[in-house]
């Protein structure tokens, strides 16, 4: 990696740590790259698809002229692994907020879980979580939610290409999902709990792939910065 290749364009694969925002990860790299390679003030760098702070995994960061490819990369199918905890819901559909209701789970069997998956394959209608960054009336949905304002959220089409259950240890259900751009896995967790005639929320999430890019080839932001320092 050189100053010239960074300006010309690079695709950097980062394994985003838990609690980090995607913005934090980009800034960490931006600061390190600018300092070590003496890059211009207006050096372009950006990520191809936000990951929530409570999620880990693949964050694709583009530099220089490759920032023009961000939209193209974002449009590719994504793969996630994670855990749905049944028997309880939260307003954010994940661990960002406290449990607001509990439900029975005694009736949930492996056969019911496998049968319920079928409802989620192919093109489905999905409502984004109220705690999301989508804008409504000029404000982010999470801003409305934190202000206690009720807003009507329209369902949108999304496609689930693959949905596999990898472990059942109730109340936890581990999964692997391959889906189209714009799919909210938190909403899948909530809707899946509902379809099981219980409740559900997302308690772990990891993005493993975007198109042909895999988290197996990614590095943590800290290791990335260390490698830059050692290379100079």
């Amino acid at each position: 990696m050189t100053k010239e290749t960074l300006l010309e364009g690079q695709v950097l694969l980062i394994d985003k740590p838990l609690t980090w925002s995607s913005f934090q990860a980009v800034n960490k790299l931006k600061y390190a790259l600018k300092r070590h390679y003496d890059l211009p003030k207006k050096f372009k760098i950006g990520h191809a698809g936000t990951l929530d702070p409570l999620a880990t995994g693949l964050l694709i960061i583009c530099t220089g002229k490759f920032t023009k490819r961000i939209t193209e990369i974002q449009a590719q199918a994504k793969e996630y692994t994670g855990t749905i905890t049944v028997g309880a819901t939260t307003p954010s559909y994940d661990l960002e907020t406290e449990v607001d209701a509990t439900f029975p789970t005694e009736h949930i069997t492996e056969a019911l879980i496998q049968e319920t998956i079928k409802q989620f394959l192919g093109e489905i209608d999905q409502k984004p979580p109220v705690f999301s960054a989508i804008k409504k009336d000029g404000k982010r949905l999470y801003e409305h939610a934190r202000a206690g304002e009720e807003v009507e959220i329209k369902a949108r089409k999304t496609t689930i290409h693959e949905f596999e259950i990898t472990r059942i240890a109730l109340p936890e259900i581990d999964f692997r999902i391959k889906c189209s751009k714009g799919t909210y896995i938190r909403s899948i967790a909530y809707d899946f709990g509902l379809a099981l005639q219980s409740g559900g929320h997302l308690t772990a999430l990891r993005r493993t792939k975007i198109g042909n890019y895999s988290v197996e080839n990614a590095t943590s932001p800290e290791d990335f910065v260390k490698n830059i320092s050692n290379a100079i």
Side-chain angles (χ1 to χ4, degrees):
M1 196 158 48
T2 64
K3 180 176 180 176
E4 290 69 31
T5 58
L6 284 164
L7 292 170
E8 197 56 37
Q10 293 268 295
V11 172
L12 310 172
L13 305 185
I14 295 299
D15 188 348
K16 188 191 80 64
L18 191 67
T19 75
W20 280 52
S21 70
S22 301
F23 182 72
Q24 264 180 293
V26 171
N27 265 3
K28 177 94 173 172
L29 265 66
K30 185 178 184 178
Y31 177 76
L33 290 169
K34 283 178 81 168
R35 189 181 59 184
H36 288 288
Y37 291 98
D38 190 29
L39 293 161
K41 195 175 181 180
K42 290 185 178 178
F43 168 62
K44 287 184 179 177
I45 185 168
H47 65 74
T50 306
L51 259 185
D52 289 341
L54 291 177
T56 66
L58 184 60
L59 187 70
I60 296 179
I61 296 179
C62 298
T63 76
K65 292 177 185 174
F66 276 21
T67 51
K68 290 176 183 172
R69 289 179 56 191
I70 283 175
T71 306
E72 168 204 328
I73 293 169
Q74 278 180 324
Q76 297 182 63
K78 296 169 179 67
E79 184 183 89
Y80 297 89
T81 59
T83 303
I84 298 167
T85 298
V86 292
T89 56
T90 71
S92 60
Y93 301 173
D94 64 4
L95 294 174
E96 187 188 335
T97 53
E98 298 292 322
V99 168
D100 62 353
T102 55
F103 303 85
T105 59
E106 295 78 14
H107 65 285
I108 298 174
T109 61
E110 182 172 350
L112 178 63
I113 290 166
Q114 296 294 351
E115 188 62 31
T116 304
I117 284 174
K118 295 173 186 174
Q119 298 176 33
F120 291 84
L121 287 167
E123 188 178 72
I124 61 168
D125 287 316
Q126 180 186 76
K127 280 191 178 182
V130 70
F131 279 79
S132 63
I134 294 168
K135 281 195 172 179
K136 169 95 176 175
D137 302 330
K139 273 165 62 173
R140 305 277 184 195
L141 283 183
Y142 63 74
E143 292 175 313
H144 287 289
R146 286 169 187 159
E149 299 162 359
E150 285 200 19
V151 289
E152 190 185 338
I153 305 168
K154 286 184 180 175
R156 44 172 68 187
K157 300 282 184 192
T158 189
T159 304
I160 309 300
H161 304 291
E162 296 170 21
F163 190 174
E164 176 191 5
I165 300 300
T166 55
R167 180 183 72 105
I168 299 170
L170 294 175
E172 293 184 349
I173 301 171
D174 288 358
F175 64 86
R176 181 188 66 83
I177 280 178
K178 186 179 178 185
C179 56
S180 64
K181 175 195 173 188
T183 303
Y184 281 92
I185 308 299
R186 284 182 287 151
S187 291
I188 298 270
Y190 178 83
D191 293 341
F192 194 68
L194 218 57
L196 289 170
Q197 296 176 345
S198 180
H201 62 291
L202 191 66
T203 48
L205 185 66
R206 182 163 177 78
R207 185 158 66 197
T208 49
K209 288 181 183 174
I210 299 175
N212 292 322
Y213 297 105
S214 172
V215 75
E216 290 175 5
N217 302 316
T219 183
S220 72
E222 281 98 343
D223 284 347
F224 184 89
V225 171
K226 272 184 207 164
N227 292 340
I228 292 172
S229 304
N230 295 338
I232 294 177

